């Protein structure tokens, strides 16, 4: 896409921008400036069963202006009206290992369901589903925010992803990255084969992000990639369900420190000798409790929620559209990246 056309799309799209940016931005890029240490996962494993969870776990963060439901099928990411883009991510990061997602993707033309691993320096590993594509899922990766020529995506087959739960896994090491569906490997990326002679291989501590957004908005430049124009208002709510997430952390740590600006995995220091604070790590004792996948209600409000079939997590739901649009324009660079992917 030519830049003049793209800038016009950015100005026209307004609230589309923040939908994309919720998952793929960074507050501090350690390849450019000195950043605080990353909060780490101090255990070698973590899991959560969203079908038994009645309130937002402390180790997950909701994106501003979004809400996520909780019900019998797990965490519910729903597009019910224009600009809905429910997103949440782990407050901690992990450093190589395995992640498993049990997911049923959202239907709907233009609707994108995604599970993303993302680092502070914009290393990224993706699973993405297009709501109008019922036979495939997309895999992708990026290194340090570079997109290459948008030729890294693959589309392995999967049976009825919008009506059936499947287990989507990522096995991530210094040597290779594999994507698998229900235990069958569908893609392998060797580190040495990544773009930039391996430099763009994802290799820094990652958070786990779950989200849904509308690539088919009437004003979006991503309609071609997203499969067409999403009806506004949608004829019915489009929902992605996440039943569970499991993480196996190869390098447990209270903190991860970038010791230089290279972004290389060899420069990451694993720190386990600091006093715990809520802003520095998920401690072993807390993580072990959370991994049980149960959330006991400790207040009368939570007890009341437990009796309902579905509860809801929300963040800043009363924010004005004007404020959202301002935030969108300030982060337009990432929209540019996604727009390019439809070329």
């Amino acid at each position: 896409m030519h830049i003049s056309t793209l800038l016009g799309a950015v100005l026209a799209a307004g609230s589309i921008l923040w939908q994309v940016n919720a998952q793929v931005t960074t507050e501090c890029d350690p390849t450019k400036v000195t950043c605080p240490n990353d909060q780490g996962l101090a255990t070698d494993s973590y899991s959560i069963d969203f079908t038994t969870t009645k309130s937002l776990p402390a180790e997950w963060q909701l994106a501003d202006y979004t809400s996520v439901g909780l019900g019998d099928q797990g965490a519910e990411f729903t597009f019910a009206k224009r600009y809905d883009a429910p997103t949440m991510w782990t407050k901690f990061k992990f450093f190589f290992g395995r992640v498993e997602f049990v997911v049923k993707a959202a239907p709907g033309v233009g609707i994108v369901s995604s599970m993303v691993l993302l680092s502070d320096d914009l290393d990224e590993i993706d699973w993405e589903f297009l709501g109008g594509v019922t036979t495939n899922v997309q895999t992708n990766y990026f290194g340090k925010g570079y997109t290459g020529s948008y030729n890294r995506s693959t589309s392995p087959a999967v049976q009825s992803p919008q009506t059936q739960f499947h287990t989507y896994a990522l096995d991530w090491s210094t040597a290779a990255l594999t994507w698998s569906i229900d235990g069958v490997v569908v893609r392998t990326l060797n580190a040495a084969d990544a773009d930039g002679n391996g430099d763009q291989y994802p290799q820094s501590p990652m958070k786990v992000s779950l989200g849904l957004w509308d690539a088919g908005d009437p004003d979006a430049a991503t309609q071609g990639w997203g499969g067409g124009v999403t009806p506004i208002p949608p004829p019915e709510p489009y929902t992605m369900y996440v039943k569970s997430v499991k993480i196996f952390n190869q390098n447990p740590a209270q903190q991860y420190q970038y010791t230089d600006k290279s972004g290389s995995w060899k420069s990451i220091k694993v720190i386990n000798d600091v006093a715990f604070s809520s802003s520095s790590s998920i401690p072993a004792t807390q993580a072990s409790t959370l991994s049980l996948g149960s959330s006991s209600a400790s207040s009368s409000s939570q007890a009341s929620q437990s009796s309902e079939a579905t509860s809801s997590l929300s963040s800043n739901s009363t924010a004005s559209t004007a404020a959202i649009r301002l935030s969108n324009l300030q982060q337009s660079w990432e929209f540019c990246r996604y727009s390019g992917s439809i070329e």
Side-chain angles (χ1 to χ4, degrees), residues 199-250:
D199 288 344
Q200 292 180 37
Y201 180 74
Q203 58 192 280
S204 45
M206 300 272 199
K207 67 181 179 182
V208 176
S209 183
L210 308 170
L212 176 150
W213 63 285
D214 182 19
D217 184 272
D219 291 333
T222 48
Q223 293 170 5
W225 172 72
V229 179
T230 304
I232 300 296
E236 60 182 347
Y238 299 133
T239 301
M240 171 180 77
Y241 296 95
V242 179
K243 184 177 291 185
S244 63
V245 175
K246 295 180 180 179
I247 301 171
F248 301 89
N249 188 11
Q250 184 175 322

Side-chain angles (χ1 to χ4, degrees), residues 77-335:
F77 299 78
T78 299
F79 180 85
K81 63 183 184 301
R82 193 177 188 186
Y83 308 133
D84 279 351
T87 305
M88 68 182 189
W89 57 85
T90 57
K91 295 179 182 178
F92 63 82
K93 294 181 173 69
F94 77 105
F95 191 27
F96 296 116
R98 177 180 172 88
V99 186
E100 298 175 0
F101 308 91
V102 180
V103 170
K104 181 165 64 175
V109 172
I111 301 300
V112 181
S113 304
S114 62
M115 299 94 78
V116 175
L117 305 187
L118 185 72
S119 71
D120 287 345
D121 59 0
L122 297 177
D123 283 353
E124 182 181 339
I125 305 169
D126 298 343
W127 286 106
E128 291 183 301
F129 305 82
L130 302 180
V133 178
T134 60
T135 56
N136 298 88
V137 59
Q138 294 188 11
T139 74
N140 217 332
Y141 79 94
F142 300 98
K144 308 300 178 284
Y146 294 106
T147 60
S149 56
Y150 303 101
N151 61 346
R152 303 174 182 178
S153 178
T154 70
S155 299
V158 59
Q159 183 176 2
S160 305
Q162 291 84 9
T163 59
Q164 298 180 21
F165 281 99
H166 294 278
T167 299
Y168 302 90
L170 297 165
D171 285 283
W172 175 44
S173 72
T174 59
L177 169 64
T178 64
W179 290 255
S180 62
I181 303 173
D182 297 330
V184 178
V185 173
V186 296
R187 180 182 186 180
T188 297
L189 171 69
N190 293 316
D193 296 332
D195 286 2
N197 295 318
D199 288 344
Q200 292 180 37
Y201 180 74
Q203 58 192 280
S204 45
M206 300 272 199
K207 67 181 179 182
V208 176
S209 183
L210 308 170
L212 176 150
W213 63 285
D214 182 19
D217 184 272
D219 291 333
T222 48
Q223 293 170 5
W225 172 72
V229 179
T230 304
I232 300 296
E236 60 182 347
Y238 299 133
T239 301
M240 171 180 77
Y241 296 95
V242 179
K243 184 177 291 185
S244 63
V245 175
K246 295 180 180 179
I247 301 171
F248 301 89
N249 188 11
Q250 184 175 322
N251 296 284
Q254 291 175 295
Q255 296 180 352
Y256 300 110
Q257 181 183 36
Y258 290 76
T259 61
D260 60 30
K261 293 182 171 59
S262 69
S264 167
W265 67 266
K266 297 177 182 178
S267 73
I268 306 298
K269 182 178 181 181
V270 174
I271 300 175
N272 280 304
D273 58 355
V274 296
F276 169 72
S277 69
S278 59
S279 63
S280 64
S281 71
I282 299 294
T285 53
Q286 182 179 349
S288 296
T289 301
L290 294 169
S291 71
L292 298 177
S294 62
S295 178
S296 60
S298 59
S299 67
S300 59
S301 174
Q302 290 174 317
S304 175
Q305 286 181 323
S306 298
S307 66
E308 299 175 1
T310 302
S311 52
S312 180
L313 316 174
S314 63
S315 176
N316 299 325
S317 58
T318 60
S320 68
T321 301
I324 296 174
R325 288 181 182 274
L326 176 61
S327 175
N328 297 341
L329 295 175
Q330 290 172 336
Q331 301 183 50
S332 61
W333 68 270
E334 186 56 38
F335 178 77

Side-chain angles (χ1 to χ4, degrees), residues 44-57:
D44 58 9
S45 65
Y46 165 91
S47 65
I48 185 163
D49 181 350
F50 287 112
T51 67
T52 62
T53 302
K54 301 302 180 183
S55 60
L56 179 65

